[in-house]
Amino acid sequence: MFGLFNKNKEEKSLILKSPIVGRCFDISEIPDEVFSSKMLGDGIGFESTDGVLYAPVDGEILQVFPTKHALILKSKKGIEILLHIGIDTVEMKGEGFEAFTEKGKQVKAGDKLLTFDNKLIKAKAKTNLSVLVVTNNDIIESFKFNLGNVDKSNEVIVIKFKE
């Protein structure tokens, strides 16, 4: 009987795991107004220690930017997630980035999506601080954030859907 309640609760929420090994923090700390003001949506800021971006949830890759500094992932429950490495990294034209996925590919939480050279980003871009942004906030009732030092197994965002 209690399993029915848990299943119903699961259908109305979604858990996102950390996209990195490192530190997750409030998105308002990102030194870019587009992200820090939540213009594109709510989410988290993160700083990777190993230069690897992992899938935060099972889903499909909608887009890998040609410069490999960002990608868009759609969860099986319809949440669209922008993962963006660094600020002004588009100017690096792909230097220091490698993609391990492509548009249309199905991924599982924890799959390696991109690698990036943190030292190079720090030298050539505004910052290596990065973001995970949920872009379709209209279907979301609330977010719960679990911030701090993380690895790819940590749950960093719990999303509750609107009824």
Side-chain angles (χ1 to χ4, degrees), residues 14 21 33 36 44 72 88 95 114 116 123 137 153 161:
L14 179 67
V21 173
E33 190 176 354
S36 64
I44 58 168
I72 299 172
D88 295 342
E95 181 186 5
L114 302 173
F116 49 95
N137 286 240
S153 69
F161 295 99

Side-chain angles (χ1 to χ4, degrees), residues 7-8 24 31 44 54 58 62-63 68-69 78 85 93-94 105 108 110 113 125 130 152:
K7 186 174 183 194
N8 196 18
C24 288
I44 58 168
Y54 301 98
D58 297 353
L62 296 182
Q63 179 180 3
K68 302 175 196 151
H69 76 287
I85 306 301
K93 298 180 172 67
K105 187 171 180 187
K108 298 262 185 213
L113 303 176
S130 304
K152 67 179 187 172

Side-chain angles (χ1 to χ4, degrees), residues 14-16 42-44 140-147 155-160:
L14 179 67
I15 294 170
L16 301 184
D42 208 344
I44 58 168
I140 297 169
E141 181 176 304
S142 65
F143 290 91
K144 179 183 175 212
F145 300 102
N146 301 311
L147 308 176
E155 298 174 357
V156 292
I157 302 176
V158 179
I159 296 170
K160 184 177 177 188

Side-chain angles (χ1 to χ4, degrees), residues 33-138:
E33 190 176 354
V34 171
F35 295 122
S36 64
S37 68
K38 304 178 186 177
M39 233 180 269
L40 298 177
D42 208 344
I44 58 168
F46 60 88
E47 184 173 25
S48 172
T49 55
D50 66 358
V52 180
L53 181 72
Y54 301 98
V57 67
D58 297 353
E60 178 184 355
I61 302 298
L62 296 182
Q63 179 180 3
V64 176
F65 287 63
T67 51
K68 302 175 196 151
H69 76 287
L71 59 82
I72 299 172
L73 168 68
K74 185 175 185 176
S75 79
K76 293 183 178 188
K77 292 187 178 183
I79 295 296
E80 293 181 6
I81 301 162
L82 169 66
L83 293 156
H84 190 284
I85 306 301
I87 303 299
D88 295 342
T89 46
V90 69
E91 305 299 327
M92 294 173 64
K93 298 180 172 67
E95 181 186 5
F97 294 88
E98 185 176 358
F100 292 86
T101 192
E102 59 191 21
K103 181 179 178 174
K105 187 171 180 187
Q106 296 293 317
V107 296
K108 298 262 185 213
D111 285 355
K112 180 165 63 170
L113 303 176
L114 302 173
T115 59
F116 49 95
D117 185 330
N118 264 321
K119 288 181 183 174
L120 189 63
I121 292 170
K122 286 178 182 178
K124 293 194 167 199
K126 186 174 181 178
T127 181
N128 74 322
L129 298 181
S130 304
V131 294
L132 178 159
V133 177
V134 176
T135 58
N136 55 342
N137 286 240
D138 55 318

